[in-house]
Amino acid sequence: MPSSNIDSDLTHGSLRGQFLLAMPGMEDPRFKQTVALLVEHSNEGAMGIVVNAPSKVHWKEVFEQLSLQDSSQRGGEAVLLGGPISPEQGFVLHGAGIQFDSTTEINAEISLTASKDILESLAGGHGPDDVLLALGYAGWEPGQLEQELVDNAWLTLPAEPEILFATPIEKRWQNAAARHGINLSGLGSQTGHA
């Protein structure tokens, strides 16, 4: 994770723990129809993990690369493309309540761990049940995300574990909005924030 003070929230309020849903008019092809979970948002910028972009890499390949014996039954699951920055860095989003070396609580229900110990635990068939593994992250410089929000590039919604852990990857964008009564196909680039 980039070094910053996670607790230095913006004076107008941090969006940490919120979903960013790309608006239908999103011009950046890397983020078209994406859902990102904001894991950090302060005066120093923002960091998010894209949670609906599967890669061609599977958990078993990550376990093999780390020389871990896979007893997880997760081996065939896709690893997510968490964003274009540091694609070699792994991030595990998981249910809150279990701690590893680098666990950070994102909100009351979702945590993020970027240390190898969680992968060792998961490979051994232990650890949290609700998990996503992503490679890389999306980052915004100070003021950049705020400007993108003003420009209606993103819709902000409360992050929900059900969308992260119980909704098929290809349905997360639509379902996250639908849970709040929003039909994304009916939105243009002129609407704002929920």
Side-chain angles (χ1 to χ4, degrees):
M1 261 189 257
S3 62
S4 68
N5 182 354
I6 289 179
D7 294 323
S8 88
D9 289 343
L10 302 166
T11 51
H12 67 275
S14 174
L15 294 174
R16 184 170 172 229
Q18 296 281 307
F19 280 144
L20 290 178
L21 276 68
M23 291 293 286
M26 171 63 75
E27 294 180 13
D28 188 334
R30 298 173 299 173
F31 296 106
K32 186 174 177 63
Q33 296 187 350
T34 59
V35 178
L37 173 65
L38 275 178
V39 298
E40 187 174 325
H41 184 220
S42 72
N43 291 321
E44 298 173 21
M47 174 184 175
I49 307 291
V50 175
V51 298
N52 68 331
S55 73
K56 294 180 181 176
V57 176
H58 294 88
W59 281 69
K60 64 182 172 189
E61 296 165 79
V62 173
F63 291 147
E64 287 170 7
Q65 186 176 15
L66 297 172
S67 301
L68 298 174
Q69 181 66 37
D70 183 10
S71 303
S72 70
Q73 305 204 9
R74 294 186 182 278
E77 292 179 27
V79 173
L80 299 173
L81 296 170
I85 301 170
S86 297
E88 71 288 346
Q89 173 70 49
F91 299 94
V92 179
L93 290 168
H94 56 91
I98 188 165
Q99 293 289 312
F100 295 90
D101 287 344
S102 70
T103 299
T104 299
E105 189 175 283
I106 303 306
N107 63 29
E109 301 170 300
I110 303 165
S111 291
L112 173 110
T113 301
S115 50
K116 184 179 176 184
D117 58 336
I118 190 170
L119 293 173
E120 291 168 342
S121 182
L122 290 165
H126 310 290
D129 292 329
D130 294 332
V131 293
L132 297 176
L133 174 58
L135 296 175
Y137 66 93
W140 293 264
E141 297 294 324
Q144 181 183 359
L145 177 59
E146 292 75 14
Q147 186 59 52
E148 289 180 15
L149 290 168
V150 168
D151 294 341
N152 291 314
W154 300 100
L155 177 71
T156 59
L157 294 171
E160 299 176 80
E162 183 177 327
I163 297 296
L164 284 177
F165 305 123
T167 302
I169 292 172
E170 69 278 1
K171 294 183 178 180
R172 289 179 186 156
W173 185 66
Q174 290 283 355
N175 288 8
R179 287 177 60 88
H180 295 275
I182 300 166
N183 177 358
L184 288 169
S185 63
L187 295 179
S189 58
Q190 301 302 314
T191 47
H193 320 288

